[in-house]
Amino acid sequence: MSHSADIMVAQDMKGSTVMTKLKMTVAMVFAAFLLVSLSGSSIFAAGEAGQNAGPVDVTVDCGKQHQVIRGLGTCLKGWGQPGKDPAATLQMEPKGLELYAKDAGFSVARMAVDRWVIEGENPYKIPVAVTQEMMDDPTKITYDKFKWERTGRSSGGEDGKIARGIRWFQELKKLNPNMIFTASVWSPPHWMKEKAPKGAGSQFEWSKNGASSCGGRLAQKYYKHYAHFLAQYCLAMEKKFEVPLYSISIQNELAFFEPYDSCVYTPDEYHGAMAEVAAVFKQLGVKTKLMGPEDMTKFPDRLWGFVKPVLADPKTKDSLEIICSHGYSDGIQVSGGTADALKLWELMKDTGKEYWMTETGGGPEEWEGANKADKKGESAGNALDSLGSRIHNAIVLGNASVWLVWLFMEVEKNKETSLVLAETLDKFVPTKKFYVQKHFAKFIPSGTHRVDTSKDSGGVLAAAFAEKDKGVLTLVLQNQNSVETAVKIKVSGGPAVGSLSAYITDKDKNCEKTADVPVSSGAIELKMPARCIMTLTTKPESK
């Protein structure tokens, strides 16, 4: 989806122009997910399996580890003027920051790379940041010469301040020194791009609203300049701003033109740019990991077309450390069905790379709503069947180590894209989506492994996470049935525990503490209320 950093006018950020499209499609976008087991032998439609009230048997094998979980989180809203836009205001205030890092327990945060620190001539009368020396010699591109303070239409109404994303990272680090920071490029500096002779990159223009460089492709003669720009940006984040980037993507949603900051690559162009960036990172000792390509999970074969040349080249195969995707079909319409997750994991499972879901829509906030799966099992019309199922699919079927929703906080007209609704300049309301994601984020310590569970059946989704030597065991269970369902769980190879703390979200409760659940020789029995998500954990909620 659209970036942030930088544009005061929301039209370029999936705002009014693009949101019109979103509103037109929202009825289709959220029909229910078709949940398919790993083996493909058990299929049930979300919300319909529930004619069977159990008992549903779940086995958990803590001795069989899968991926490490880095954490869950969101991106920052980088546009909208503080003091006028409620979301832009509240996300940066102490209570908004506390909600993110403490209450929700989010441990990963994402921002856009600010191209304006080295941008050139533009139609918006924003001061030129690049020098002729930099354009002539890429080694002269150094972060001490960047123009970090934002001005004019690029500032989001915050003239004289550094980009909002950097300030957000700095404040989050105060609350969680172990927060993982990641960044994506929405567009290289406009002067580094050109119009492609054909294809999606042949559309190249400055935006009419905001201050965006739309489409085009990265000119090959500037690959080295771009590599030095990104390397210096990462070094500045570490040394100047003291919020080191764990990872960076050289291009957000690289397959198509968008009417906001965007850039289009072919697979060969992506490979060429990645090779140059990797070489300069190595030369300058940049520790930030390279991730990509941030194409759509809906089209795993297309996404893999960008990855394949990078992995096939001995010079670049180790440089792409994280493979990541976005949970859309087109940059707006939410996607995240089981078929997508399974196909992408099948393509990448032997690479030894981590998989991250670095952006997807939040979906509807209602707890109950249309939940009939469409023919492709694409989406759902309520928070449990949509967001709950998609997180499960990505983590359990897709082996995702990171899950990020597009925005943490938004205003009413764009609320489908976020987890928290900013109603006024001094009031926000966490939606049901917020609590669904909290069930995972709050109780799975960063660095914990997902462990093996039996295939989903009987309308109950089960995900398990454990570190025996640390005494960590967390189970996230979703009852998508319309009736109370008995669940019997057998845990083997995990830490010795006599009971687990329990938290529940349903139509009336929001991640509320409920009675502890006894554990006897690894056996757990409970009755899950209709249509709820529960977390059972050894990790108590901190106050």
Side-chain angles (χ1 to χ4, degrees), residues 18-180:
V18 181
M19 282 304 300
T20 301
K21 177 182 176 183
L22 180 59
K23 290 174 182 177
M24 292 173 63
T25 59
V26 75
M28 299 184 301
V29 171
F30 306 112
F33 280 103
L34 184 65
L35 301 173
V36 187
S37 73
L38 276 168
S39 66
S41 61
S42 175
I43 301 175
F44 57 90
E48 287 195 325
Q51 310 320 314
N52 179 1
V56 174
D57 293 315
V58 176
T59 60
V60 177
D61 183 356
C62 297
K64 187 174 182 180
Q65 293 184 329
H66 297 285
Q67 80 275 24
V68 65
I69 303 299
R70 304 292 177 192
L72 292 85
T74 74
C75 191
L76 170 81
K77 180 176 182 178
W79 68 100
Q81 185 172 348
K84 294 183 178 180
D85 182 304
T89 303
L90 293 170
Q91 67 183 355
M92 296 295 291
E93 291 189 352
K95 58 184 178 182
L97 295 163
E98 289 273 350
L99 185 70
Y100 191 98
K102 295 295 186 180
D103 187 335
F106 295 160
S107 56
V108 186
R110 177 179 180 240
M111 60 166 257
V113 171
D114 177 15
R115 65 180 169 82
W116 284 102
V117 300
I118 193 177
E119 189 55 275
E121 295 287 346
N122 62 86
Y124 313 117
K125 299 182 181 180
I126 298 168
V128 173
V130 67
T131 65
Q132 189 61 49
E133 183 181 46
M134 294 177 186
M135 297 179 76
D136 292 339
D137 182 357
T139 66
K140 300 300 182 182
I141 297 174
T142 56
Y143 71 79
D144 59 307
K145 298 175 183 176
F146 289 179
K147 288 190 177 181
W148 292 102
E149 292 74 23
R150 307 296 294 276
T151 58
R153 291 174 69 169
S154 71
S155 72
E158 297 181 287
D159 276 15
K161 293 185 178 182
I162 60 173
R164 190 180 301 167
I166 298 175
R167 289 181 280 124
W168 187 50
F169 281 8
Q170 290 173 326
E171 294 302 317
L172 290 176
K173 186 180 178 182
K174 294 175 184 177
L175 297 173
N176 178 4
N178 298 314
M179 184 78 67
I180 293 173

Side-chain angles (χ1 to χ4, degrees), residues 265-335:
Y265 289 75
T266 66
D268 286 343
E269 290 166 348
Y270 185 69
H271 171 221
M274 181 66 73
E276 198 65 65
V277 172
V280 173
F281 272 38
K282 183 177 181 180
Q283 175 191 343
L284 298 182
V286 177
K287 300 174 185 176
T288 303
K289 299 177 186 295
L290 292 172
M291 66 179 188
E294 293 196 297
D295 194 15
M296 308 301 152
T297 314
K298 175 64 180 172
F299 303 106
D301 289 320
R302 186 180 74 187
L303 182 152
W304 199 249
F306 290 100
V307 174
K308 193 173 180 180
V310 177
L311 299 187
D313 182 352
K315 295 180 180 179
T316 57
K317 66 182 180 67
D318 295 328
S319 63
L320 183 63
E321 296 191 56
I322 300 165
I323 296 172
C324 50
S325 69
H326 287 183
Y328 307 111
S329 59
D330 60 358
I332 299 176
Q333 182 166 318
V334 171
S335 178

Side-chain angles (χ1 to χ4, degrees), residues 247-485:
S247 61
I248 190 169
S249 168
I250 72 169
Q251 183 55 51
N252 173 76
E253 297 179 4
L254 72 177
F256 45 83
F257 170 91
E258 288 287 14
Y260 48 79
D261 275 345
S262 54
C263 185
V264 179
Y265 289 75
T266 66
D268 286 343
E269 290 166 348
Y270 185 69
H271 171 221
M274 181 66 73
E276 198 65 65
V277 172
V280 173
F281 272 38
K282 183 177 181 180
Q283 175 191 343
L284 298 182
V286 177
K287 300 174 185 176
T288 303
K289 299 177 186 295
L290 292 172
M291 66 179 188
E294 293 196 297
D295 194 15
M296 308 301 152
T297 314
K298 175 64 180 172
F299 303 106
D301 289 320
R302 186 180 74 187
L303 182 152
W304 199 249
F306 290 100
V307 174
K308 193 173 180 180
V310 177
L311 299 187
D313 182 352
K315 295 180 180 179
T316 57
K317 66 182 180 67
D318 295 328
S319 63
L320 183 63
E321 296 191 56
I322 300 165
I323 296 172
C324 50
S325 69
H326 287 183
Y328 307 111
S329 59
D330 60 358
I332 299 176
Q333 182 166 318
V334 171
S335 178
T338 53
D340 302 340
L342 285 167
K343 178 64 182 291
L344 182 55
W345 178 246
E346 192 64 28
L347 289 168
M348 67 169 289
K349 66 180 181 180
D350 296 326
T351 65
K353 312 287 186 181
E354 282 192 12
Y355 166 57
W356 289 18
M357 167 66 75
T358 50
E359 186 185 316
T360 187
E365 75 275 15
E366 296 83 4
W367 194 249
E368 297 294 347
N371 59 6
K372 297 293 183 181
D374 65 19
K375 292 181 179 180
K376 297 180 181 179
E378 284 305 325
S379 50
N382 54 67
L384 182 65
D385 295 325
S386 178
L387 189 62
S389 294
R390 287 189 288 121
I391 295 175
H392 178 88
N393 289 344
I395 291 178
V396 176
L397 305 184
N399 286 269
S401 292
V402 166
W403 168 275
L404 301 176
V405 165
W406 169 219
L407 293 177
F408 177 52
M409 195 176 293
E410 248 296 17
V411 295
E412 173 71 25
K413 68 176 182 178
N414 298 336
K415 63 185 178 180
E416 293 90 354
T417 65
S418 71
L419 300 179
V420 179
L421 175 62
E423 293 188 332
T424 66
L425 289 173
D426 57 8
K427 180 184 178 183
F428 58 70
V429 179
T431 68
K432 286 291 188 181
K433 297 176 291 182
F434 171 86
Y435 294 106
V436 168
Q437 185 153 313
K438 178 178 176 178
H439 271 273
F440 292 85
K442 185 76 175 180
F443 307 106
I444 306 171
S446 183
T448 301
H449 283 85
R450 182 177 72 84
V451 296
D452 208 50
T453 52
S454 53
K455 66 183 182 181
D456 300 321
S457 64
V460 174
L461 308 182
F465 312 87
E467 294 293 338
K468 184 177 181 180
D469 58 341
K470 297 179 181 178
V472 174
L473 176 62
T474 295
L475 309 177
V476 183
L477 309 171
Q478 300 181 52
N479 180 17
Q480 299 195 322
N481 296 319
S482 57
V483 293
E484 180 182 80
T485 302

